[in-house]
Amino acid sequence: MKVQQMENNDNNNKNVSTEAKEYDFRQAEERWSNYWQQRDMHKAEETTKKPKKYVLEMFPYPSGRLHMGHVRNYTLGDVVARYNRMRGFNVLHPMGWDAFGLPAENAAIERNIHPETWTLSNIDYMKQQMKKLGFSYDWDRELATCLPDYYKWTQWLFLKLYEKGLAYKKRAKVNWCPHCKTVLANEQVIDGKCWRCHTPIEKREIEQWFFKITAYADDLLKDLDDLDWPEYVKAQQRNWIGRSEGATVRFQIEGTDKYIEVFTTRLDTIYGATFMVLAPEHPLAKELTQGTELEEDFNAFLKAITLKPEIDRLSTEKEKEGFFLGKYAINPFNGERLPIYAGDYVLMEYGTGAIMAVPAHDERDNAFAKKYHLPIIPVVVPKDGTKASEKGEDVLFTDYGTLVNSGPYSGKTSEEALDLMATYLEEHQLGSKKVTYRLRDWLVSRQRYWGAPIPMVYCEKCGMVPVPEEELPVVLPREVDYMPGDLVSPLATDPAFVETTCPKCGGPARRETDTMDTFVDSSWYYFRYADARNENEAFSKDAENYWLPVDIYIGGVEHAVLHLLYSRFITKALKDMGYTHVSEPFSKLFTQGMVTLGGSAMSKSKGNIVDPDDILKNYGADAARMYTLFVAPPEKDFEWSQQGLEGIVRFLRRIWNFYGKHAARLEGVNSANENVEAHSEWDSKALRASNRLVYRVTSDIEDNYRFNTAIAGMMEFLNEITEYDDKVSSAVMKEVLETFAKVLAPFVPFMAEELWSTMLGNEPSVHEQSWPAFNEELLEEAQVEVAVQINGKFRGTIIVPNGAPEEDVKNAVLRSGSFTKYFDQGYKKCFYVPNKIINFIV
RNA sequence: GGGGGCGUGGCGGAAUGGCAGACGCAGCGGACUUAAAAUCCGCUGGGCUUACGCUCGUGUGGGUUCGACUCCCACCGCCCCCA
């Protein structure tokens, strides 16, 4: 890496003349960040008649230092924020820290630093980096989720959800790492192993807190339609919510008055059911074997299955494990006896935890039937009759079709049968139509230290009692044992924390010792920014009413489901409780691509890191910003390239030198502004070029943030004006260079200030100027070049007056010497697209 | 298997029915320099041609159209999500 030799130039900051000094980014960055800070220029206005714009980027986890992905994400947001300020919006552009979470605890364990100390010092460092990059945040609204003045309100949110019945406690299976002696979140289990020590995880059943996100499943699904979000993110959420319409059916267990209830989306295949499968954990499975000779074997089977990762159990590729329970169920449609199995591929958490197995029409049932030699009876054939003759075993047909072997329903289509059979079920009280979702309730308790304590106490007399609102926050104690052992929360090791009194009866009570998932912290932070310093409420109704929803939310794809779904749920819950007027938090979502090196995402373990600090030190903030914007469309991944960065450095230097070249002659000159008529050919060319620049950059930004082509437009502008700059009058040159400085401002905020004030001698700040307007009329040239095609092949061009009628253009081509050779036989037909192309068929 | 996305020079990418390859990187040639770096100027998809030019070319094969990277059908390959 090359360090530019600015020091040599030793600026006394005078004498900016035709011999331009190099751009001293260090000096400019220091000077202007101080200036912005002193003037409080990035503060969102509290009361104003201006229309608002809430520009938000996903806040970072304070891991230590910024990585290139952050730089890209926050640069995108900053350009949007600065652009909108210049457009006259009252912009809210805040930043904060998703500051609870595991890495802080790991640092504590590995390096013996308190998680809080570690986190806060990381925040300090990263905040300085952000300032160096010129990000225009309103730091007065900064928040960190790990501080009591924030998590107090996270706890408040928990209490509100509890009051509403949306937070509840139940027993559930969790992932437990026997080596680390701790519970892990699902995301921290990779291929069934602990992400840290690679020990296979086990399932343990303990009491957990849940948020009832399933209560909003339908709203979460429906409201996706109206969001201005990338289609694939919406598709992923739809997929995750997984609505399916079907029916529940009750199968009587032979010789008893017990029933097995199943959920199926393929009721039309019920005549093909040849056995039943219960989840091994299903209470009936135990009941059916209890006291029989199968009991011992079944318990061993159950234990083995419990240790299997869910993903393996559901896989269509992994071999299925089953256990015959010795009993039979009766098919309510045809009275067939169906052997009842326990099978690993059926999960207690899905549907009713039991299925009717139709091996002819379901892949996994088919595999299971083959393994245990169970009959396979086809009852649906393709509608077009193909392969209907093929029989039995190897025909697995999973589509809808026409029913056969299905008693009175034979000959009906699957669609007809689904409806008729469901009606039959309801009439005979054997079951009913039902809608189910794949979405499960959100498990929010964590047996971890570094998180917001769940504000509940357990009293011997009164049972579970919520901490009263006025006693919040429940403060996280400072000294605990981070690694307390089997299924014990770190907070449980601090008696001073645990032992408390009951808010109801005043008797002895114990605090809940679990903390909340950090996704709870981040599910509502965008509300807090609207009113970040409010000590009496999470946020005021007025602030919420003015600022929400977030107009544009920018971040990585990895949150497509988790964070973005949780936030939508919390917003809907807050709306139902009357705390917000919006039912969706983020009107527009923009997902930026990854920054890669050597073809894969930068990561410490791969050793392919580019450190933003090095880039800042050697090239400056403007170059770093401009490069990340130029190199690829913002939604696509891009491969970091040192040479590409240097190309941008060259472009910035060319801009700087160009201003330097003209600075002396522009001193004291008034810019041309309106009186365009009097200009020479060259003046007029320059004004048109700058008008085109404004048009191009504006429309590229408005059209889904196409910053890469906006910057290409800037390059084209500079290339063009460099061709004839000496012929342009001083007044027009000044006007044009002022416009260019304004256009550059959101992209390269430091250099734009230097160009605007030092070079052009204007009053700072360029960021307080209005975004330049463009003149539609000036986009049109008097003469246009029209492409000439003969039989659809390009054969040359012709210059005609702008807007010339078809006849004129046609005649011009026919008269022109260059094309006569094609018209020996005249022409048959002609197509003309005004000002663009003319096509003759000869 | 289902859903979503993508496929254009040596590379990143432009062009969304109208001159394919804007802009940049890399490369080649030239100017400046004792020299190098930096900077500036020119060239740069393939093939044929001394040249004017001609011709092929946007993953593959078909189709619609005066005209297709762009729209339609089928296929191949890659990436992401879900199973």
Side-chain angles (χ1 to χ4, degrees):
Chain A
M1 264 179 226
K2 289 170 205 99
V3 177
Q4 293 172 358
Q5 301 145 15
M6 355 237 87
E7 282 81 5
N8 301 350
N9 294 322
D10 198 30
N11 327 266
N12 288 327
N13 220 4
K14 302 175 200 123
N15 191 24
V16 177
S17 70
T18 50
E19 286 303 310
K21 297 174 305 195
E22 277 200 61
Y23 172 52
D24 184 346
F25 64 79
R26 287 181 198 113
Q27 200 209 36
E29 285 171 17
E30 201 188 323
R31 179 175 170 197
W32 294 110
S33 41
N34 288 338
Y35 181 86
W36 300 334
Q37 203 162 331
Q38 278 157 22
R39 304 261 325 259
D40 246 348
M41 274 175 48
H42 306 136
K43 216 168 143 54
E45 295 168 35
E46 292 291 348
T47 52
T48 177
K49 284 188 178 140
K50 282 188 196 172
K52 67 97 184 182
K53 194 75 92 175
Y54 187 173
V55 179
L56 185 64
E57 300 110 55
M58 293 179 185
F59 66 167
Y61 179 78
S63 55
R65 38 180 53 211
L66 295 181
H67 54 68
M68 276 335 265
H70 292 130
V71 174
R72 189 181 197 195
N73 190 171
Y74 302 145
T75 299
L76 293 170
D78 196 54
V79 176
V80 175
R82 288 181 180 278
Y83 169 76
N84 280 300
R85 282 196 199 98
M86 291 176 81
R87 294 297 304 244
F89 288 96
N90 181 22
V91 171
L92 174 54
H93 189 219
M95 183 42 73
W97 312 95
D98 190 8
F100 271 137
L102 271 177
E105 275 174 83
N106 294 338
I109 292 160
E110 285 158 23
R111 280 177 267 169
N112 203 28
I113 311 172
H114 192 274
E116 183 176 47
T117 313
W118 184 81
T119 303
L120 294 180
S121 88
N122 287 345
I123 288 176
D124 267 0
Y125 190 82
M126 290 167 80
K127 188 171 171 182
Q128 288 321 306
Q129 288 185 302
M130 288 180 175
K131 287 187 170 174
K132 277 188 195 155
L133 279 156
F135 299 146
S136 60
Y137 297 123
D138 180 350
W139 287 109
D140 291 351
R141 293 170 189 257
E142 181 181 4
L143 56 84
T145 58
C146 67
L147 298 177
D149 65 355
Y150 183 87
Y151 71 67
K152 173 181 179 178
W153 302 110
T154 307
Q155 292 171 338
W156 169 86
L157 175 66
F158 185 97
L159 292 178
K160 291 294 147 189
L161 293 172
Y162 180 74
E163 279 170 26
K164 199 68 171 109
L166 292 172
Y168 66 94
K169 210 173 184 189
K170 74 167 183 196
R171 286 186 78 79
K173 279 188 297 174
V174 294
N175 307 304
W176 185 67
C177 172
H179 180 259
C180 299
K181 298 204 179 299
T182 184
V183 166
L184 298 174
N186 282 335
E187 310 82 58
Q188 290 145 14
V189 180
I190 296 156
D191 293 332
K193 292 172 187 156
C194 172
W195 67 288
R196 192 150 28 132
C197 67
H198 308 293
T199 307
I201 65 110
E202 293 174 11
K203 291 275 184 184
R204 290 292 174 91
E205 199 169 300
I206 54 172
E207 278 220 288
Q208 299 283 289
W209 281 98
F210 288 85
F211 285 170
K212 210 182 219 163
I213 190 170
T214 52
Y216 287 89
D218 225 20
D219 289 340
L220 288 168
L221 189 66
K222 269 196 311 230
D223 292 350
L224 280 173
D225 295 343
D226 300 325
L227 292 177
D228 182 8
W229 284 23
E231 208 42 58
Y232 76 99
V233 176
K234 295 205 247 182
Q236 273 185 46
Q237 291 212 353
R238 286 191 190 104
N239 215 327
W240 188 262
I241 295 166
R243 182 189 150 99
S244 57
E245 286 180 27
T248 55
V249 190
R250 297 196 301 151
F251 289 69
Q252 188 166 15
I253 299 171
E254 192 183 48
T256 72
D257 55 0
K258 292 185 167 36
Y259 289 87
I260 297 173
E261 191 176 60
V262 306
F263 173 80
T264 176
T265 57
R266 292 302 303 275
L267 191 57
D268 59 314
T269 65
I270 194 165
Y271 280 81
T274 55
F275 56 103
M276 307 289 291
V277 187
L278 300 177
E281 299 88 344
H282 199 292
L284 270 175
K286 201 169 194 83
E287 212 179 308
L288 293 178
T289 51
Q290 219 151 33
T292 74
E293 69 275 19
L294 294 169
E295 181 169 4
E296 201 171 311
D297 289 349
F298 173 73
N299 288 339
F301 172 78
L302 175 61
K303 193 168 181 214
I305 297 303
T306 311
L307 297 175
K308 268 193 165 188
E310 203 168 280
I311 188 152
D312 286 357
R313 289 179 56 176
L314 287 168
S315 168
T316 49
E317 271 121 56
K318 291 270 161 52
E319 182 133 345
K320 311 281 170 282
E321 300 289 339
F323 186 95
F324 178 50
L325 297 170
K327 298 282 195 303
Y328 293 82
I330 305 300
N331 186 331
F333 277 79
N334 62 6
E336 289 283 328
R337 291 175 81 221
L338 309 173
I340 305 170
Y341 281 75
D344 62 347
Y345 72 106
V346 178
L347 297 180
M348 197 56 220
E349 289 80 7
Y350 273 14
T352 58
I355 61 160
M356 65 173 202
V358 184
H361 304 294
D362 180 274
E363 202 174 333
R364 289 178 299 178
D365 294 349
N366 189 271
F368 192 93
K370 281 179 184 159
K371 180 164 176 185
Y372 293 101
H373 308 291
L374 294 156
I376 298 171
I377 304 171
V379 291
V380 179
V381 297
K383 281 176 190 162
D384 59 11
T386 51
K387 295 192 179 171
S389 60
E390 284 187 52
K391 59 173 184 301
E393 304 229 313
D394 288 310
V395 182
L396 173 63
F397 177 67
T398 58
D399 279 347
Y400 282 172
T402 306
L403 271 63
V404 296
N405 301 324
S406 295
Y409 303 98
S410 294
K412 306 279 187 208
T413 64
S414 291
E415 290 87 345
E416 290 163 348
L418 282 168
D419 201 49
L420 292 168
M421 290 169 132
T423 307
Y424 175 86
L425 280 177
E426 288 179 345
E427 279 170 2
H428 296 79
Q429 287 166 15
L430 295 163
S432 58
K433 286 185 183 176
K434 201 181 172 193
V435 175
T436 60
Y437 298 91
R438 209 186 72 93
L439 182 71
R440 298 187 221 175
D441 278 342
W442 176 13
L443 194 164
V444 295
S445 38
R446 295 285 179 272
Q447 292 68 44
R448 285 290 176 176
Y449 166 65
W450 194 230
I454 291 173
M456 300 295 291
V457 300
Y458 302 95
C459 168
E460 283 162 27
K461 281 187 215 147
C462 314
M464 194 159 71
V465 181
V467 174
E469 228 177 287
E470 55 280 6
E471 284 177 28
L472 296 181
V474 175
V475 177
L476 197 59
R478 199 170 157 87
E479 301 304 333
V480 298
D481 180 358
Y482 304 128
M483 299 279 283
D486 285 24
L487 299 174
V488 180
S489 292
L491 293 186
T493 65
D494 180 5
F497 175 82
V498 175
E499 289 161 20
T500 185
T501 52
C502 173
K504 241 189 202 165
C505 71
R510 295 172 63 81
R511 285 194 190 279
E512 168 67 62
T513 55
D514 282 357
T515 54
M516 278 184 256
D517 181 7
T518 57
F519 279 111
V520 180
D521 309 328
S522 57
S523 67
W524 73 279
Y525 76 112
Y526 43 90
F527 283 106
R528 183 65 179 171
Y529 281 137
D531 198 9
R533 299 281 89 91
N534 194 330
E535 289 177 10
N536 307 312
E537 305 164 274
F539 47 89
S540 76
K541 193 78 196 145
D542 282 350
E544 180 281 322
N545 205 38
Y546 179 69
W547 287 113
L548 270 284
V550 174
D551 295 285
I552 170 68
Y553 194 36
I554 306 173
V557 202
E558 63 276 16
H559 297 105
V561 173
L562 296 165
H563 162 62
L564 290 168
L565 193 65
Y566 295 150
S567 297
R568 295 181 61 224
F569 156 59
I570 292 294
T571 300
K572 289 178 189 305
L574 285 170
K575 187 184 183 196
D576 284 352
M577 294 186 282
Y579 292 105
T580 177
H581 73 291
V582 296
S583 51
E584 285 288 339
F586 314 122
S587 307
K588 182 177 168 75
L589 174 73
F590 190 92
T591 52
Q592 105 261 5
M594 279 190 310
V595 184
T596 63
L597 190 65
S600 52
M602 293 186 183
S603 78
K604 267 185 205 153
S605 56
K606 288 199 189 99
N608 60 341
I609 300 276
V610 175
D611 187 348
D613 276 354
D614 291 338
I615 308 303
L616 282 171
K617 197 170 112 214
N618 296 322
Y619 300 92
D622 289 330
R625 294 170 58 115
M626 198 70 147
Y627 174 63
T628 60
L629 293 169
F630 176 64
V631 68
E635 70 278 9
K636 284 183 69 170
D637 291 352
F638 85 76
E639 172 75 9
W640 182 266
S641 148
Q642 195 66 24
Q643 285 166 332
L645 172 63
E646 279 165 19
I648 281 295
V649 171
R650 264 201 290 276
F651 172 56
L652 295 181
R653 195 181 299 142
R654 285 183 61 215
I655 296 174
W656 182 255
N657 292 339
F658 190 81
Y659 277 74
K661 181 179 169 191
H662 291 280
R665 73 153 162 145
L666 298 185
E667 218 170 304
V669 171
N670 289 324
S671 54
N673 288 333
E674 308 303 321
N675 48 346
V676 178
E677 312 84 34
H679 299 307
S680 71
E681 177 194 346
W682 301 108
D683 280 1
S684 153
K685 264 178 106 89
L687 287 168
R688 282 173 186 280
S690 112
N691 191 64
R692 217 161 40 235
L693 167 74
V694 175
Y695 169 76
R696 173 83 184 268
V697 174
T698 308
S699 52
D700 280 351
I701 294 176
E702 295 289 340
D703 182 13
N704 217 25
Y705 312 124
R706 301 185 331 170
F707 298 126
N708 57 324
T709 52
I711 294 168
M714 297 178 198
M715 290 171 169
E716 283 170 35
F717 166 77
L718 185 66
N719 289 344
E720 183 189 328
I721 197 121
T722 304
E723 285 172 25
Y724 53 78
D725 58 330
D726 291 333
K727 304 189 182 88
V728 177
S729 73
S730 295
V732 166
M733 186 55 86
K734 181 134 187 185
E735 159 72 15
V736 163
L737 290 188
E738 281 180 352
T739 299
F740 192 28
K742 289 182 211 166
V743 166
L744 284 164
F747 297 82
V748 284
F750 297 106
M751 195 167 104
E753 289 280 32
E754 285 291 325
L755 297 175
W756 177 257
S757 56
T758 311
M759 287 291 199
L760 297 177
N762 291 313
E763 281 298 309
S765 156
V766 70
H767 300 290
E768 289 172 332
Q769 306 303 311
S770 293
W771 184 255
F774 57 87
N775 180 345
E776 296 270 1
E777 285 170 30
L778 270 186
L779 292 173
E780 315 244 313
E781 302 288 337
Q783 304 271 302
V784 293
E785 194 181 52
V786 170
V788 179
Q789 290 187 338
I790 309 295
N791 291 339
K793 276 198 196 303
F794 173 74
R795 295 297 176 188
T797 61
I798 189 162
I799 306 284
V800 298
N802 189 339
E806 179 169 348
E807 275 309 303
D808 295 8
V809 180
K810 216 187 279 182
N811 291 332
V813 174
L814 294 172
R815 263 187 273 112
S816 152
S818 344
F819 302 106
T820 45
K821 62 182 166 184
Y822 300 108
F823 293 106
D824 296 343
Q825 324 268 308
Y827 68 93
K828 281 196 210 124
K829 243 184 149 172
C830 172
F831 298 85
Y832 179 57
V833 181
N835 293 346
K836 280 207 166 150
I837 197 164
I838 185 159
N839 187 11
F840 290 91
I841 312 306
V842 302

